[in-house]
Amino acid sequence: MAKEKKLVEAITAMEDDFAQWYTDVVKKAELADYSSVRGCMILRPNGYAIWENIQKVLDAKFKETGVENVAMPMFIPESLLKKEEDHVEGFAPEVAWVTHGGDKELQERLCVRPTSETLFCDFYSRIIQSHRDLPKLYNQWVSVVRWEKTTRPFLRTSEFFWQEGHTAHATAEEAEARTVQMLNMYADFCEQYLAIPVVKGQKTEKEKFAGAHSTYTIEALMHDGKALQSGTSHNFGDGFAKAFDIQYTDKDNKLQYVHQTSWGMSTRIIGAIIMVHGDDSGLVLPPKIAPIQTMIVPIMQKKVGVLEKAEEIRSKLAGSYKVKVDDSDKSPGWKFSEQEVRGIPTRIEIGPKDIEKNQAVIVRRDTREKIIVSLDEIETKLGEVLEQMQSDMFERAKKHLEEHTVEARTWDEFKEHIEKQDGFVKAMWCGETECEEAIKEETTATTRCMPFEQEHLSDVCVHCGKPAKKLVYFGKAY
């Protein structure tokens, strides 16, 4: 697409300052705003509506696999949090504590949940006795608190919304199958609904979730070449079960420890939508997740019959699409810009001349292509446009991912690619944490994942020269 004139001057060009562009889009699209609490954001209706759509789709998918929703307390006693040493050590720097109830000091500090493993484990230890009680497939939609040093709306905030699934199984095989199943569900959701291609793989020992046996991740690539961890699924093995004494009697009447999983996706995925698809005019929403799929803009709306025709079209489309009429007294140009900033996938322009010709104009947000359609066919044609737009957005993002994923066989090649901050760098690694830490210290690049689809680029580690064990995706990340 030829470079279009920037319509929204209040938004910084992403090539000039990507971080400022991101902040401008969040604010101008009215997705979120800063609150009076440091590091906490206010989710505005436009932003929360996207999260509601994400919830709706994922919740239905979870339930198709037998998952049930529950709600755990917000507070965790300190003694409970300390039961699993690796877990508490991993979260200790980010924990917010409640020390007083009213004007009285509490006998035991309460942690404001940074995550809910300990609560679920304590609960499971009381309700699981027999193999007949398994599996337990629970999920909750809540907010959590992690006292971050530096924050940015959606990407890293002291409080954020997410879902966290927690399951308990009789065998290690069942737990592993559930862990992979949920990761694949996240990957499919990102690609099919958010039009975001992802790389699936396993986190290294250093980068895995505190207390987990293994962590699997989906990694997405943003427009500026940085990675974003977009969803994770953890296999806890029986480590938490032993710490919390979660046992059951098997079919032979012998005591066994359960095997657990945990998996989550948060509001940071909205940050991914912004940074993968947005442009210098604002947000660009994939049609499948957009709260409004088309905005009808009446032209010369004070003319007799124009608003009535716009409402007639809205009524006709409302059964199949999420559609609104902008009948405010703003100028059409202002309405167009507003629709573009908010990322509404399409708009339908209808004026007196269009009515005479029994037609309307559908305009795509991503390409600004104008398509003249007969009012008799508008329902079908709009569906075709939205479907094509969804597909095109994914293909563009996929092309960007492919063009910004490079191979490095030598340390010089690796450093050169990382310095450009131009995407993922695939390289061989020895598997040693000390080497991984050295790579991060020298380049600020981190291991994003060891992809499930392994390739053999070299016999030796790109950094230390020792025998290579794994192909790894490296990159700078949010």
Side-chain angles (χ1 to χ4, degrees):
M1 171 175 111
K3 191 167 183 179
E4 295 278 357
K5 181 187 174 193
K6 188 172 147 202
L7 296 181
V8 186
E9 296 302 328
I11 295 178
T12 303
M14 63 170 69
E15 289 181 8
D16 294 342
D17 187 337
F18 192 82
Q20 188 58 51
W21 166 83
Y22 176 84
T23 302
D24 289 347
V25 171
V26 169
K27 294 199 76 174
K28 296 297 178 182
E30 298 183 348
L31 300 177
D33 215 328
Y34 297 100
S35 75
S36 56
V37 183
R38 190 200 72 82
C40 294
M41 65 176 176
I42 296 167
L43 265 178
R44 299 188 68 172
N46 290 346
Y48 198 79
I50 297 170
W51 181 237
E52 283 180 311
N53 284 348
I54 290 169
Q55 277 185 293
K56 184 178 179 181
V57 174
L58 283 179
D59 198 61
K61 288 181 176 292
F62 295 162
K63 286 172 179 172
E64 285 174 6
T65 70
V67 173
E68 298 175 292
N69 284 334
V70 297
M72 288 288 170
M74 178 183 291
F75 304 116
I76 306 170
E78 185 172 11
S79 57
L80 195 61
L81 190 68
K82 286 183 173 179
K83 273 200 169 185
E84 213 288 333
E85 290 181 6
D86 291 340
H87 183 68
V88 68
E89 185 180 340
F91 279 100
E94 301 175 344
V95 170
W97 294 100
V98 177
T99 59
H100 287 71
D103 60 357
K104 293 185 179 180
E105 187 172 348
L106 300 178
Q107 288 186 332
E108 181 181 14
R109 292 195 301 177
L110 297 175
C111 156
V112 183
R113 67 174 167 231
T115 181
S116 301
E117 277 69 25
T118 54
L119 290 171
F120 274 93
C121 287
D122 182 55
F123 182 50
Y124 283 156
S125 70
R126 287 183 277 115
I127 67 168
I128 295 173
Q129 280 89 40
S130 162
H131 65 90
R132 296 182 182 87
D133 298 324
L134 296 170
K136 283 284 183 280
L137 309 175
Y138 289 163
N139 173 68
Q140 65 173 356
W141 294 92
V142 292
S143 71
V144 293
V145 172
R146 297 179 185 176
W147 217 249
E148 299 284 0
K149 292 179 181 177
T150 57
T151 61
R152 188 179 296 181
F154 295 112
L155 299 178
R156 197 169 291 279
T157 50
S158 296
E159 181 188 22
F160 57 90
F161 294 93
W162 74 348
Q163 56 73 212
E164 50 177 312
H166 293 270
T167 69
H169 305 267
T171 67
E173 292 76 17
E174 287 176 26
E176 176 67 8
R178 172 60 65 165
T179 309
V180 174
Q181 178 186 21
M182 302 318 290
L183 187 82
N184 287 334
M185 188 177 291
Y186 289 146
D188 291 344
F189 170 73
C190 282
E191 297 192 342
Q192 293 171 17
Y193 287 84
L194 307 185
I196 298 175
V198 296
V199 177
K200 295 188 290 186
Q202 184 174 351
K203 286 288 188 183
T204 63
E205 192 71 18
K206 178 180 181 294
E207 295 290 334
K208 74 178 184 180
F209 183 81
H213 175 267
S214 56
T215 290
Y216 302 134
T217 179
I218 52 171
E219 300 285 326
L221 189 65
M222 305 299 99
H223 191 80
D224 65 344
K226 282 188 178 180
L228 187 75
Q229 179 178 292
S230 301
T232 49
S233 189
H234 316 285
N235 185 339
F236 288 159
D238 59 5
F240 277 90
K242 288 177 177 176
F244 285 83
D245 195 29
I246 313 172
Q247 296 187 78
Y248 71 96
T249 53
D250 64 15
K251 292 177 181 178
D252 298 323
N253 212 30
K254 292 180 180 178
L255 275 177
Q256 305 285 355
Y257 287 106
V258 301
H259 296 261
Q260 292 171 267
T261 81
S262 177
W263 26 274
M265 180 175 279
S266 76
T267 40
R268 80 179 340 222
I269 198 67
I270 297 175
I273 296 170
I274 297 167
M275 293 192 289
V276 170
H277 300 305
D279 62 20
D280 283 350
S281 291
L283 190 61
V284 182
L285 289 174
K288 284 188 178 181
I289 213 68
I292 302 170
Q293 293 174 310
T294 193
M295 181 68 80
I296 301 171
V297 180
I299 310 298
M300 301 175 69
Q301 67 183 41
K302 291 183 180 178
K303 292 272 187 177
V304 176
V306 174
L307 278 177
E308 289 80 1
K309 180 58 74 172
E311 175 54 33
E312 182 185 313
I313 295 170
R314 189 207 65 78
S315 181
K316 185 175 184 179
L317 297 174
S320 303
Y321 309 102
K322 291 170 276 189
V323 55
K324 281 191 175 182
V325 175
D326 187 344
D327 58 1
S328 65
D329 59 2
K330 300 168 186 172
S331 70
W334 184 275
K335 294 178 183 181
F336 296 165
S337 289
E338 198 169 51
Q339 174 252 338
E340 292 210 341
V341 172
R342 292 175 61 189
I344 296 169
T346 59
R347 71 171 179 263
I348 296 173
E349 300 173 9
I350 182 78
K353 291 183 179 179
D354 297 306
I355 294 170
E356 284 179 18
K357 297 177 183 178
N358 192 44
Q359 68 180 31
V361 181
I362 298 176
V363 185
R364 279 177 55 160
R365 167 63 183 90
D366 59 336
T367 63
R368 297 197 180 95
E369 178 188 0
K370 294 191 172 186
I371 304 135
I372 298 172
V373 299
S374 164
L375 293 181
D376 298 329
E377 299 179 327
I378 195 165
E379 191 171 359
T380 302
K381 292 296 183 184
L382 177 61
E384 292 171 359
V385 170
L386 291 171
E387 188 176 336
Q388 188 62 51
M389 181 176 170
Q390 182 83 27
S391 174
D392 290 349
M393 287 179 70
F394 176 75
E395 290 303 323
R396 276 196 297 273
K398 186 179 177 184
K399 184 181 179 184
H400 180 264
L401 173 63
E402 291 170 349
E403 290 178 348
H404 294 82
T405 301
V406 296
E407 298 175 358
R409 288 174 170 78
T410 68
W411 184 234
D412 286 339
E413 282 181 353
F414 185 93
K415 288 189 293 183
E416 181 184 347
H417 290 313
I418 291 296
E419 282 171 13
K420 289 180 182 176
Q421 194 185 298
D422 205 24
F424 290 123
V425 179
K426 295 193 294 185
M428 302 305 291
W429 173 56
C430 61
E432 296 183 10
T433 299
E434 294 80 4
C435 183
E436 181 182 359
E437 290 173 341
I439 291 171
K440 181 179 179 179
E441 187 175 337
E442 292 178 45
T443 66
T444 71
T446 54
T447 53
R448 303 317 308 155
C449 72
M450 298 175 286
F452 293 145
E453 296 180 8
Q454 285 283 306
E455 302 170 58
H456 185 79
L457 304 183
S458 168
D459 291 330
V460 297
C461 174
V462 72
H463 179 258
C464 68
K466 292 179 181 178
K469 291 184 179 178
K470 287 282 185 179
L471 172 82
V472 174
Y473 274 69
F474 292 87
K476 296 185 179 180
Y478 285 98

